Amino acid sequence: MRSVFARLVLPWLAALPASLLLSSYAPAQTPPAAAPLKAADKRPNIIVIMSDDMGYSDIGAYGSEIQTPNLDKLAGEGLRFRQFYNTARCCPTRASLLTGLYSHQAGVGHMTQDRGLPAYQGELNDRCATIAEVLKPAGYGTYAVGKWHIARSAKPNGPKNAWPLQRGFDHYYGIIGGAANYYHPNTLTRDNTRIKAAEDTEYKPTRPYYFTDAISDHAIRYADESKRQNPNKPFFMYVAYTAGHWPIQAPAPEIAKYKGKYDAGYEPIRKARLEKMKKLGLLDPKWKDTPAVGDWEKVPDKAWEARCMEVYAAMITRMDEGIGRLVDTLKKNGQYDNTLILFLQDNGACAEDMGRNNPAQRMKLPGGPQTNVAYGENWAHVSNTPFRLYKHWEHEGGISTPLIAHWPNVIQGARQGTLVNGPGHLIDIMATCVDFAKATYPKQHGGKAIPPMEGVSLRPVFEKSDEVKRPTPIFWEHEGNRAVRDGKWKLSYEHRRKVWELYDTDADRTEMNDLASAQPDRAKTMAAQWDAWAKRVGVAPWPAGKVPEKAPIEE
């Protein structure tokens, strides 16, 4: 039997800082009195992970063939939301997620261009507070990693009022701009300082530099730092991957895992996803299928086209690998059980044709540092299975995202693996963080009045409910595209068609049976709700305000 000293004293000594042990054993000195140990804060660490330009069915837990074992495990041990929504575009989503407001209220009604209107100033305004700015006064450490893209200026010597450290984060590593080469990212920044990956003395990866890995490695670094420097203090971390935004680039070993996987073309993959989604309970068999997009038989270079999807899949798998390493770090540090992890996406799949019509790019196999292409509309339709339309639009293909919530201390037993009905929205993330952090959402920020939170806390869902209950509808606007969701009813508006469409999402979430003409009164009432909301938050007719001559330079 172990002695009392071995059982009780040695573990206590092992837990003390090395500096305290050394000073205690210094010769000819009286050992200093040990400072009273501060009780560990029981509030959770909160990690919000967001990917870029991915479709609703692109991870395994939501129907994909793409290898995402770490996200799938989080989903199986946590909750999966069936009807969670973003804003259909990167900048507005980031603004809404971080502030708990509609993006127009935060000044980012469109992108990072100043259109001369308060709702379209192109960066976070001074009439909102970020999650970091709300949680820091409540005692949280705050870290941001990855893509920022809610500041007008990305210049190293330009204004930084909307950069991460000026908006509540203690530390930051990532790109201030939007898209970037994964091997040589521009606008790469640590805290407030522009850096170059090849010249970075603080980060020397063991593998060739790849931005997705760098995001994961810095998230791990900050989790370790929090544990080491503030072991009794919770942290909030925002991890914004650029995977799978174009340019589609991935390490060769990762791409090799998918060799031949997509040689049969679009429809076999899409149909396999549909069947898997039905088995997972994500897709109601009564929903009508959306029409096929793209004819594989008419694709002139099938090997090049299949390679695009191989690279895209590899990007997602590499991100998942990094998420797994972050989870392992939390376990190593004893932080895992009391960490709330949320995973979601910034918009639906991207149908943009970046580089695809460039003959020079068509001569290269996608994936390497010298390639600069997107995977195209046809694969985007596969990614968005079972929905139609894409990023930019407020139809389901543009705004539907998975939301995985994982928290071992709270989501336990029968709750694990539960499918949650909606609708939920980005605006709910702030309310949820404030609730669990026991923080106080301010009425003013920097001496200026700010709007109250627009969302609802998801606490009831984490603890017992399978429904997100909300007292008011959810609204959207981007580039003139519009939507309002009230209960099961959704009113959608495509700017290029300029017609409101009404859908019963219980019976028809794929938006194939427009009921506007059959229920004109309901459509009229919901359109009036949207008009009132648009006036309240500052939405302007598209194109809003003064269109800048050119986009800001992101050096």
Side-chain angles (χ1 to χ4, degrees):
M1 182 177 293
R2 300 173 65 197
S3 69
V4 173
F5 182 88
R7 287 187 293 111
L8 300 180
V9 179
L10 285 180
W12 176 78
L13 286 172
L16 289 176
S19 60
L20 182 57
L21 286 172
L22 290 172
S23 63
S24 297
Y25 285 93
Q29 292 183 11
T30 303
L37 293 176
K38 183 180 178 182
D41 196 318
K42 300 299 184 183
R43 295 174 300 170
N45 303 310
I46 302 172
I47 301 177
V48 177
I49 303 172
M50 186 162 66
S51 64
D52 200 346
D53 276 13
M54 283 174 56
Y56 184 74
S57 68
D58 271 337
I59 61 175
Y62 278 76
S64 183
E65 73 294 334
I66 297 174
Q67 299 170 31
T68 55
N70 296 294
L71 284 170
D72 297 348
K73 191 171 190 295
L74 293 177
E77 296 174 352
L79 305 176
R80 277 175 300 159
F81 287 65
R82 298 175 71 243
Q83 301 184 77
F84 204 82
Y85 291 110
N86 49 47
T87 73
R89 194 75 179 276
C90 49
C91 298
T93 281
R94 290 158 212 281
S96 184
L97 167 66
L98 284 173
T99 66
L101 304 175
Y102 288 106
S103 63
H104 304 79
Q105 295 170 294
V108 193
H110 188 233
M111 301 292 282
T112 53
Q113 299 171 338
D114 188 353
R115 290 175 170 264
L117 297 172
Y120 300 87
Q121 71 173 46
E123 65 182 5
L124 289 184
N125 60 32
D126 57 3
R127 297 174 302 282
C128 66
T130 67
I131 297 174
E133 288 170 324
V134 175
L135 266 57
K136 182 182 284 190
Y140 271 69
T142 55
Y143 305 92
V145 190
K147 177 175 172 177
W148 187 244
H149 210 199
I150 40 178
R152 281 199 300 265
S153 174
K155 296 180 180 180
N157 298 318
K160 299 177 180 178
N161 53 290
W163 285 29
L165 264 63
Q166 283 63 247
R167 296 312 308 240
F169 288 97
D170 295 327
H171 289 293
Y172 170 70
Y173 175 92
I175 56 172
I176 298 297
N181 186 294
Y182 286 78
Y183 299 94
H184 310 287
N186 62 347
T187 78
L188 187 63
T189 300
R190 176 176 288 111
D191 292 340
N192 276 329
T193 302
R194 177 61 49 79
I195 58 175
K196 292 183 179 180
E199 301 171 4
D200 187 0
T201 59
E202 288 192 33
Y203 174 60
K204 296 295 183 183
T206 56
R207 300 183 286 191
Y209 184 93
Y210 183 62
F211 187 46
T212 299
D213 292 344
I215 292 173
S216 302
D217 290 344
H218 279 79
I220 290 167
R221 171 180 175 174
Y222 292 148
D224 279 337
E225 178 180 302
S226 175
K227 176 65 175 180
R228 183 177 65 255
Q229 297 180 358
N230 300 289
N232 296 313
K233 180 179 180 179
F235 67 82
F236 168 75
M237 188 186 300
Y238 171 52
V239 183
Y241 286 97
T242 53
H245 196 292
W246 51 258
I248 51 170
Q249 298 172 329
E254 213 72 69
I255 300 173
K257 296 177 182 178
Y258 292 96
K259 180 65 176 176
K261 185 72 174 180
Y262 299 102
D263 288 355
Y266 316 118
E267 277 304 287
I269 298 298
R270 185 169 164 274
K271 288 180 179 178
R273 290 191 182 192
L274 288 169
E275 291 306 310
K276 185 176 179 181
M277 294 175 84
K278 290 175 184 178
K279 293 177 181 178
L280 291 171
L282 295 164
L283 190 154
D284 193 321
K286 70 173 177 284
W287 296 345
K288 188 176 180 181
D289 193 10
T290 54
V293 174
D295 185 344
W296 189 251
E297 296 307 314
K298 295 180 180 179
V299 174
D301 189 344
K302 293 181 175 59
W304 190 91
E305 185 72 358
R307 170 76 172 201
C308 286
M309 191 62 188
E310 292 171 6
V311 177
Y312 178 80
M315 295 168 72
I316 296 172
T317 293
R318 191 64 162 234
M319 175 187 69
D320 181 83
E321 184 258 357
I323 293 171
R325 290 192 290 112
L326 175 57
V327 169
D328 288 343
T329 299
L330 297 174
K331 291 179 178 178
K332 177 198 68 163
N333 290 344
Q335 299 165 314
Y336 175 74
D337 289 340
N338 200 33
T339 297
L340 167 60
I341 299 175
L342 299 173
F343 172 85
L344 71 162
Q345 298 161 187
D346 69 340
N347 45 247
C350 177
E352 296 163 4
D353 62 358
M354 170 62 65
R356 293 176 61 83
N357 297 319
N358 183 335
Q361 289 295 325
R362 299 287 302 201
M363 294 176 66
K364 307 171 186 175
L365 277 179
Q370 303 306 317
T371 61
N372 185 22
V373 298
Y375 74 158
E377 179 179 2
N378 299 343
W379 286 122
H381 182 64
V382 174
S383 289
N384 272 346
T385 304
F387 305 125
R388 64 185 179 94
L389 292 179
Y390 316 95
K391 169 185 176 181
H392 296 267
W393 283 272
E394 310 293 10
H395 284 64
E396 294 294 285
I399 60 177
S400 297
T401 172
L403 177 67
I404 294 171
H406 182 274
W407 186 1
N409 275 0
V410 172
I411 302 171
Q412 299 179 342
R415 296 295 297 152
Q416 293 182 319
T418 297
L419 287 173
V420 178
N421 289 309
H425 188 276
L426 295 165
I427 54 177
D428 301 332
I429 303 297
M430 168 71 89
T432 303
C433 290
V434 169
D435 188 355
F436 285 120
K438 299 180 181 177
T440 300
Y441 184 83
K443 294 182 179 179
Q444 291 187 335
H445 180 68
K448 295 186 178 181
I450 64 174
M453 293 182 291
E454 293 280 349
V456 299
S457 172
L458 299 175
R459 176 189 285 269
V461 177
F462 293 166
E463 294 178 344
K464 59 182 177 180
S465 176
D466 294 341
E467 287 278 346
V468 179
K469 302 185 186 301
R470 57 189 333 112
T472 57
I474 306 171
F475 301 92
W476 293 264
E477 188 276 336
H478 182 67
E479 295 182 341
N481 300 308
R482 313 170 186 172
V484 54
R485 176 76 190 266
D486 192 1
K488 71 174 185 175
W489 295 100
K490 184 184 175 197
L491 197 69
S492 302
Y493 180 97
E494 195 177 345
H495 182 60
R496 62 188 179 183
R497 296 184 61 238
K498 295 180 171 53
V499 175
W500 282 110
E501 306 162 11
L502 178 66
Y503 298 103
D504 175 349
T505 61
D506 282 356
D508 175 35
R509 196 176 165 207
T510 50
E511 297 174 303
M512 296 300 296
N513 183 25
D514 180 8
L515 300 174
S517 59
Q519 298 196 39
D521 290 343
R522 185 184 300 277
K524 184 178 180 180
T525 297
M526 293 181 71
Q529 289 177 312
W530 187 91
D531 288 339
W533 167 81
K535 182 178 181 180
R536 178 171 69 85
V537 302
V539 173
W542 187 254
K546 179 182 178 181
V547 180
E549 293 182 4
K550 60 181 180 179
I553 298 174
E554 296 179 344
E555 297 177 341

